[in-house]
Each structure stands twice: as structure tokens, then as C-alpha cells.
Amino acid sequence: LVGSAELVEAVFSIVRDVTHHLQPRGMLAGQQCGPTGTAGRTGDVGPLKIETQRIGQIVWLLFLKIFDDRELEYELLEDNYRSPIPEELRWSNWALNPEGMTRDPLLEFVNDKLFPALKKLPAPADRPSRAGVIKGVFEDAYQYMKSGTLLRQVINRINDDIDFNDSEKRHLFGDIYEQILKDLQSSGNA
């Protein structure tokens, strides 16, 4: 069993690597940031913006993993449980296989299918629902990774190191959250 410090460091070592592979919103593929951290008229993509994108990137990945783990519980505890996420978009159907989609097919799936569908997920406006929570998370979320290979590595690392059905690892997520806050604070975003 990975200890608290090791789990936090394992997740954040991959997350830190994400910084070098982000595609800042508004930039064209292959466009480089200038020495001041900007890319022409596309807006600031300097250290503070990259830090925020890095955190945003890991949040949507962790959310889908957590929700998928919770759905395993719901399926056992609730008669006739039906996921609000279409079957082909559930984490367990596209992310669990370590040899699954990668490279351009993974990026195309995430950018062209997953994100648009979850942003438009039908949810009742008059009452709280699981679908409403998912839609709310993805309404303002963006996928910044430009390397499908690195995205697969991050997904595999999350699958290998984090099981939110394990109460000890669920507790360790608090450590990860605290580290996120510390990273944001040290970058000036808290």
C-alpha cells in the first residue's frame, strides 16, 4: 500500500509533467509562447495561467475517476441504478484499460465526444441531480493536453494509484487536495 506522502508525490509528479504538455486555450497547435510567457493575442499563458490549467486538468480527470468508483457503490446499493453518463463515456469503459485508447484517438475522443456530451448532459433544472453535478463540473472545464500519449500516462497513473472505494485511499485524497491548495497558493492563485 502506498503511503500518504508517496501517493501525493506520485500523483503530483505526473501532474507537474502535464505542465509541459498543455495546449493553452486560444493557441493554435504548435504555437509557442514568447519569452514573456505570452503567445501574441491569445492571452497570458505564463506560470500562473499554466498552474491553473494544470490544476484544472487533474480536477476533471479525478472527478471522473471518483464518480466511476462511486457508481460501483451505487450499482450495489441502489436497485435499478442507471448512470447519468452514457455508457461509452463512463470512465470504466474508456479509461480503465491501460492499453486502451492513446495518442490522437484518445485526444479526439476526449475533445470531440466526452467533453461536448458531458457539457450538454440532460439534467433537471428544478432539482439537484447527479447529472446536474456532472454537467456543472464540465460546463467550465477544458481539456488542455496536446499529447494523447501523456494523457494516457496520467490516466493510467490515476487508475494504478487511486481507488476511492478503499477508505484509506479516500482519506489520502484530502492530502492531495491540501497539496493542490498549497501549489495554488505558492503560484499566487489562492
Side-chain angles (χ1 to χ4, degrees):
L1 180 66
V2 177
S4 174
E6 290 88 5
L7 177 63
V8 170
E9 185 51 39
V11 171
F12 277 92
S13 70
I14 285 289
V15 175
R16 281 189 288 273
D17 291 342
V18 167
T19 303
H20 302 292
H21 299 279
L22 293 176
Q23 178 70 44
R25 223 167 96 230
M27 285 185 71
L28 301 173
Q31 186 176 6
Q32 300 294 315
C33 294
T36 61
T38 61
R41 299 172 183 251
T42 60
D44 184 298
V45 290
L48 297 180
K49 183 72 170 185
I50 293 294
E51 185 70 20
T52 303
Q53 290 173 351
R54 180 174 67 170
I55 299 302
Q57 184 72 38
I58 197 68
V59 165
W60 75 260
L61 289 164
L62 288 173
F63 176 82
L64 286 179
K65 168 67 170 149
I66 292 166
F67 194 82
D68 195 70
D69 284 350
R70 290 300 305 257
E71 284 196 303
L72 295 175
E73 284 183 37
Y74 300 149
E75 288 170 352
L76 292 173
L77 300 174
E78 296 179 19
D79 291 335
N80 302 317
Y81 174 75
R82 184 172 159 91
S83 177
I85 299 176
E87 195 64 27
E88 70 276 6
L89 303 179
R90 290 178 70 178
W91 179 271
S92 54
N93 290 325
W94 66 268
L96 277 185
N97 179 354
E99 301 296 323
M101 280 187 286
T102 190
R103 299 183 179 198
D104 288 343
L106 179 58
L107 287 178
E108 289 167 5
F109 172 79
V110 170
N111 293 333
D112 300 338
K113 286 184 105 177
L114 182 71
F115 265 72
L118 297 181
K119 286 176 183 270
K120 296 177 185 171
L121 199 63
D126 60 338
R127 62 183 165 81
S129 68
R130 290 176 182 137
V133 170
I134 296 163
K135 183 178 180 176
V137 166
F138 280 86
E139 281 178 336
D140 294 324
Y142 296 95
Q143 198 296 106
Y144 295 103
M145 301 277 297
K146 58 184 177 180
S147 167
T149 301
L150 183 65
L151 181 56
R152 169 49 63 191
Q153 290 172 2
V154 172
I155 289 167
N156 289 349
R157 189 71 170 268
I158 289 170
N159 285 328
D160 291 344
D161 291 346
I162 303 174
D163 176 5
F164 287 100
N165 288 316
D166 177 331
S167 61
E168 188 170 336
K169 286 194 177 183
R170 190 182 298 175
H171 172 73
L172 294 178
F173 184 69
D175 293 340
I176 293 171
Y177 178 74
E178 288 178 24
Q179 186 63 47
I180 288 171
L181 292 178
K182 287 177 187 175
D183 284 356
L184 282 172
Q185 186 174 28
S186 68
S187 72
N189 283 329

